[in-house]
Amino acid sequence: MEQLPTPPDERPAESDASSESAYTATATVNEQGIVTGWSEGARRLLGYMPSEVVGQRAARLLADDVGETARREAAGREKWSGTVALRHRDGHRLQRGLLAHRRTSNGPVTEWLVVSAVAGKPRTPGSEALREWTFAQSPDILAIFDSDLRLVRANTGMERALSLTEAEMLGLHLPEIAPYPVSDEAESKMRLALETGEPQYVEAYIRPTGVSPERGWSTSLAPLKDPDGRVRAVCLAAHSRSGEYLARQRMLLLNDAGARIGTTLDIARTAQELADVAVPRLADFAAVDLLDLPQHSDQPPSAPPAGPVAMCRTALRSVLEGSPESLVAVGETTTYPALSPPAECLAAGRPALYEVTDPAIARWAAQDPRAVWIREYGTHSVMVVPMRTRGITLGVALFSRHLRREPFEPDDLLLAEELTARAAVSIHNARRYTRERTTTMTLQRSLLPHTLPDQAALEIASRYLPAGTQAGVGGDWFDVIPLSGARVALVVGDVVGHGIRASATMGRLRTAVRTLADVELPPDELLTHLDDLVIHLSADEGGTEGAAETAGGIGTTCLYAVYDPVSRRCTLARAGHPPPAVVTPDGAVYFLDVPAGPPLGLGGLPFETVETELPEGSIIALYTNGLLEPRHLDIDEALDKMFAALAQPAQTLDTVCDRVLTALLTHRPDDDVALLIARTRVLHADRVAAWDLASDPAIVAQARKNATDQLAAWGLDDAVFITELMVSEMVTNAIRYGQPPIQLRLIHSDSTLICEVYDSSNTAPHLRRARTFDEGGRGLLLVAQLAQRWGTRHAPIGKTIWAEQSLAGG
């Protein structure tokens, strides 16, 4: 290795350092002992230029072997200090204290940083003056209390924190100077420090002055001892932890916001929750303004229009009662000028922090008379935060301070942005939920019966209450279906799931029930066909997105009942649905014992039909399970309340419905509720006439005469002609194509006349058009033209052809 140049003997020695200013000599040495860096201070100390040293072995700079010993001592350590002899460029020897640090440079490569302070001419006063200045001017709180715990010294930090001078505090105890609970604790710790001679510590959170925010202080109480070791006084040193405290408070505020913002799907309430969380913990005043977004579009606009922006003032909160800062009341419209901070922040989509002296604030106040609150209430700091989520701008939140002295900081802006973002997500979800709920409700209303059909068998009232939870509207439904023979079918069902899919499934099932009812299927067979339909729907939807929500209706429950006012018998079957309740005319309430059956869509399991006789004036209540599952009641209590409400006498069935709902529901239900109440009527013997007929064509004339005489007895002379034609054709058909026994029956309800012909054949009649010269084949075609409704009703043995005509005079 190249040798360092040997300096000539005549080179002058280094001048006295005391006549120069102090400086630091610095060099870096790698793990191999090669100099890799050389500072100007090192040149001044040893006289070598960097080009003469860098790349050379550091050992060449040592005057003896002490440096090699130091190098071995430093091996394996991160830091070393000591005194070594160095060789100046001119050859003379220098004793210097060195401090060496091991540091990593350029990845895994390590090197040593070697430094040496070179003293110069003193530029500061003596140590005594420095100590005095340190005590008096320290930014921390420093105070000395004597052995009686009375204050004898206080620095400017304590004077500033307590807004008192040292002269005003001298001779007082700490609780007398600062009457906070923590002062009593600190004085107790000072007494303990006097007694034990050991330092004590106190963590304090106090509000020192006026309206300043609460601040955190880490306080140490150190005993002061004389040369003999006796404790003569106590030094109180308090270090402000306001930064840590503010960070902690912001974290607590965020945590609180998570629980308080977005508790409901009410847009105005969510906006108010944002304002309530922000004031007074973050701001002295807060306002939330929302854009007037379209309610029926799939997505609101992603950005507000250019120019002045009109918004609805949705929420306010202030530390001043009544929020006098706002000249715009909640619910009113406010318009921001194009160059105002709210309009600019909305256009940019970024939050902004303003001091009241900013030109943007002055321009806003000059353009907008409603911005006068900024000057009138001494506002000094403003934050404007756009409410955005998923690329959609919903509005803007304003925050200001006028009572609190501290201006907003960048961290406050980040906190406001986080709070506003949480509120924006909740408001967006509420808008979307409201839109989807409106769509679902519209669909559901279109599928449910708007009016109940006129019929003579039952007096009916109904209620439908949609769910009030975030799950959305469900698929509950009810229906009243007039059948042949003055009979009426009652249906109540509950599709699993909520939302549009559940409502659509409900519509399909309701349509299927009506179709199956029209072909006069008994209740158990109807449910079997409905079960097959649900299985097919599930298979069809198995590959569609979101099908798992309702699985095509699997798990749907249904109750189907048919009431006959002539026989007063009710035939029922149910698929996993709650049983109906019956109230007898004397006020007794009980459940009909109908086998539960499996829910629809499981397949392979039977449904059972039950038939029971209901006295005239009995009340039958059909409902969905949402009625019996309120949050505040268990099932037994709910059943007791329902039975008690049903048992009370009432003039109308509407009263019964309202009484049941009032007894069981104190708030919007968690699930949809469908309630169908029916009171039985009876068609007595004087309204029904029946004749057994021989299977002989000659009997047709007698059948016509029997019908004519009965109509005369009922005072229905206007219906004689049409009834004679229908009786002739229907009886002739039964004799010609059916099997005995044959029966003719006439039923006279309030507004209809029903003609029925029964025979024991199961062959279904067919409506066909006869050719021009055919002598027959026009019977059922004629019946279809004359009747308002007609059809075939099958029984386990035989069938009934029926035709219904309207009676204008009733």
Side-chain angles (χ1 to χ4, degrees):
M1 180 177 292
E2 181 182 352
Q3 298 292 324
L4 290 173
T6 302
D9 295 339
E10 65 272 10
R11 187 166 300 176
E14 181 187 21
S15 60
D16 186 4
S18 65
S19 64
E20 302 179 12
S21 61
Y23 62 91
T24 300
T26 304
T28 55
V29 181
N30 65 18
E31 288 289 330
Q32 288 72 41
I34 304 299
V35 177
T36 57
W38 193 253
S39 71
E40 175 61 20
R43 186 201 65 76
R44 292 177 60 187
L45 178 64
L46 296 182
Y48 295 107
M49 299 295 292
S51 60
E52 297 176 296
V53 177
V54 174
Q56 306 297 318
R57 296 187 64 83
R60 300 290 184 178
L61 301 173
L62 303 176
D64 51 33
D65 293 336
V66 176
E68 182 61 25
T69 302
R71 187 187 68 78
R72 288 195 298 271
E73 290 178 357
R77 297 167 59 181
E78 297 299 318
K79 184 186 301 182
W80 178 90
S81 64
T83 301
V84 296
L86 301 175
R87 179 73 65 186
H88 193 275
R89 189 176 188 278
D90 62 9
H92 76 273
R93 180 189 178 98
L94 294 173
Q95 289 288 125
R96 290 293 173 191
L98 300 182
L99 174 62
H101 303 272
R102 186 192 297 272
R103 66 181 187 180
T104 301
S105 176
N106 298 325
V109 179
T110 59
E111 62 184 10
W112 286 90
L113 172 66
V114 184
V115 296
S116 177
V118 181
K121 185 177 181 180
R123 295 187 177 185
T124 59
S127 59
E128 191 64 33
L130 284 175
R131 283 193 291 270
E132 181 63 25
W133 292 351
T134 300
F135 179 88
Q137 300 176 28
S138 171
D140 294 336
I141 293 177
L142 294 175
I144 297 176
F145 294 82
D146 62 17
S147 57
D148 292 330
L149 300 183
R150 296 182 179 276
L151 186 128
V152 294
R153 289 291 307 277
N155 74 338
T156 55
M158 187 168 184
E159 291 178 327
R160 184 170 54 253
L162 299 179
S163 298
L164 296 170
T165 65
E166 183 184 56
E168 292 172 320
M169 294 185 285
L170 286 176
L172 297 177
H173 292 92
L174 182 59
E176 298 166 341
I177 298 169
Y180 309 121
V182 71
S183 296
D184 296 321
E185 181 186 358
E187 188 172 59
S188 297
K189 292 291 183 69
M190 283 194 286
R191 185 171 289 108
L192 191 61
L194 284 173
E195 295 172 353
T196 64
E198 298 294 331
Q200 306 295 321
Y201 302 94
V202 177
E203 293 291 335
Y205 293 94
I206 60 175
R207 187 183 299 275
T209 59
V211 295
S212 298
E214 191 176 45
R215 301 180 66 185
W217 300 87
S218 178
T219 305
S220 61
L221 305 164
L224 301 180
K225 302 177 182 179
D226 62 16
D228 295 330
R230 291 177 299 176
V231 179
R232 306 301 294 271
V234 176
C235 177
L236 181 151
H239 173 68
S240 174
R241 299 179 59 189
S242 57
E244 299 175 22
Y245 177 74
L246 288 176
R248 178 172 175 268
Q249 291 301 102
R250 288 170 179 141
M251 185 176 297
L252 290 175
L253 181 57
L254 277 177
N255 184 65
D256 190 32
R260 292 179 57 187
I261 296 178
T263 59
T264 69
L265 287 171
D266 185 279
I267 293 174
R269 182 169 176 179
T270 300
Q272 189 60 52
E273 288 168 346
L274 169 61
D276 292 344
V277 165
V279 177
R281 295 169 67 179
L282 175 63
D284 296 329
F285 170 73
V288 179
D289 298 326
L290 297 181
L291 292 165
D292 185 16
L293 301 177
Q295 295 294 326
H296 304 293
S297 63
D298 291 337
Q299 288 292 343
S302 59
V309 182
M311 288 187 282
C312 177
R313 177 62 47 93
T314 311
L316 285 173
R317 182 66 186 272
S318 172
V319 293
L320 305 178
E321 186 176 357
S323 302
E325 300 96 326
S326 176
L327 299 180
V328 182
V330 171
E332 294 182 352
T333 299
T334 182
T335 302
Y336 291 109
L339 297 180
S340 63
E344 290 180 335
C345 288
L346 278 175
R350 293 188 300 272
L353 174 60
Y354 300 93
E355 299 297 329
V356 74
T357 55
D358 288 345
I361 297 293
R363 184 171 60 247
W364 179 22
Q367 294 177 343
D368 187 358
R370 292 181 173 180
V372 68
W373 61 272
I374 297 175
R375 295 191 300 268
E376 288 189 354
Y377 290 91
T379 299
H380 59 81
S381 191
V382 177
M383 292 189 297
V384 183
V385 184
M387 302 190 73
R388 288 179 57 83
T389 181
R390 300 180 182 178
I392 301 168
T393 301
L394 303 176
V396 68
L398 298 174
F399 306 92
S400 70
R401 284 181 179 174
H402 54 79
L403 192 62
R404 190 184 304 193
R405 298 175 182 175
E406 296 79 9
F408 288 122
E409 301 176 354
D411 285 345
D412 293 319
L413 185 62
L414 292 175
L415 177 60
E417 191 174 8
E418 177 66 23
L419 296 178
T420 304
R422 294 191 182 197
V425 170
S426 296
I427 289 174
H428 175 66
N429 289 341
R431 286 186 185 274
R432 186 175 61 181
Y433 168 79
T434 301
R435 185 169 59 249
E436 292 179 355
R437 181 180 176 84
T438 301
T439 302
T440 303
M441 288 292 294
T442 302
L443 173 62
Q444 193 169 54
R445 288 193 186 100
S446 69
L447 297 174
L448 289 172
H450 292 206
T451 58
L452 299 177
D454 292 331
Q455 38 74 41
L458 297 167
E459 176 192 354
I460 294 181
S462 64
R463 294 291 184 272
Y464 185 87
L465 297 179
T469 63
Q470 296 186 19
V473 178
D476 293 18
W477 92 92
F478 64 91
D479 210 345
V480 178
I481 308 171
L483 302 177
S484 63
R487 297 170 307 132
V488 176
L490 302 178
V491 189
V492 175
D494 185 357
V495 176
V496 295
H498 296 81
I500 293 177
R501 184 178 294 275
S503 294
T505 301
M506 175 268 284
R508 299 169 81 172
L509 295 181
R510 177 173 177 257
T511 301
V513 170
R514 277 188 161 267
T515 302
L516 295 171
D518 282 344
V519 298
E520 302 284 356
L521 289 180
D524 55 344
E525 291 187 31
L526 183 143
L527 291 181
T528 299
H529 283 281
L530 203 62
D531 185 48
D532 292 338
L533 173 63
V534 170
I535 293 174
H536 291 313
L537 289 177
S538 176
D540 292 342
E541 295 185 358
T544 61
E545 184 179 356
E549 179 191 343
T550 62
I554 289 180
T556 295
T557 64
C558 183
L559 171 66
Y560 184 79
V562 176
Y563 174 69
D564 186 345
V566 176
S567 65
R568 297 178 298 179
R569 303 195 69 79
C570 185
T571 308
L572 311 94
R574 62 188 179 116
H577 202 83
V582 172
V583 184
T584 63
D586 60 3
V589 185
Y590 63 94
F591 279 129
L592 283 177
D593 187 14
V594 183
L600 299 176
L602 300 184
L605 299 174
F607 301 97
E608 296 183 48
T609 295
V610 168
E611 188 173 80
T612 185
E613 184 173 329
L614 297 177
E616 182 177 7
S618 298
I619 293 177
I620 181 170
L622 289 72
Y623 51 89
T624 55
N625 60 4
L627 182 67
L628 299 180
E629 296 179 352
R631 282 173 279 177
H632 62 291
L633 297 176
D634 59 34
I635 185 63
D636 292 332
E637 187 178 0
L639 289 175
D640 291 341
K641 287 181 175 292
M642 184 178 74
F643 276 26
L646 289 171
Q648 296 181 46
Q651 292 294 324
T652 67
L653 293 186
D654 285 320
T655 302
V656 176
C657 288
D658 294 338
R659 186 178 290 158
V660 170
L661 295 179
T662 301
L664 292 172
L665 303 175
T666 59
H667 55 274
R668 289 288 296 276
D670 296 333
D671 194 6
D672 288 20
V673 173
L675 176 63
L676 189 62
I677 303 287
R679 180 183 282 127
T680 61
R681 296 169 177 159
V682 173
L683 290 177
H684 296 283
D686 60 346
R687 291 296 190 100
V688 180
W691 302 272
D692 292 329
L693 304 177
S695 183
D696 182 353
I699 204 65
V700 175
Q702 183 62 42
R704 285 198 302 268
K705 183 178 184 306
N706 292 341
T708 301
D709 292 343
Q710 184 62 56
L711 293 182
W714 285 338
L716 302 178
D717 295 331
D718 292 341
V720 169
F721 178 72
I722 294 178
T723 304
E724 280 187 328
L725 290 177
M726 290 195 298
V727 168
S728 293
E729 296 300 333
M730 293 168 65
V731 171
T732 299
N733 255 4
I735 294 172
R736 180 176 298 176
Y737 302 110
Q739 296 178 3
I742 299 172
Q743 185 185 69
L744 169 65
R745 186 170 73 157
L746 297 180
I747 301 173
H748 175 208
S749 67
D750 293 337
S751 58
T752 60
L753 177 65
I754 303 169
C755 178
E756 296 183 343
V757 176
Y758 167 82
D759 75 88
S760 62
S761 170
N762 288 320
T763 303
H766 296 282
L767 181 66
R768 65 183 180 87
R769 291 190 177 274
R771 292 185 293 272
T772 304
F773 299 105
D774 287 350
E775 295 182 1
R778 297 179 177 86
L780 288 181
L781 180 61
L782 181 62
V783 170
Q785 295 298 316
L786 296 174
Q788 183 181 12
R789 297 194 307 151
W790 79 280
T792 304
R793 180 173 70 248
H794 289 271
I797 299 176
K799 66 180 180 297
T800 299
I801 310 299
W802 58 271
E804 182 179 302
Q805 55 182 306
S806 177
L807 301 175

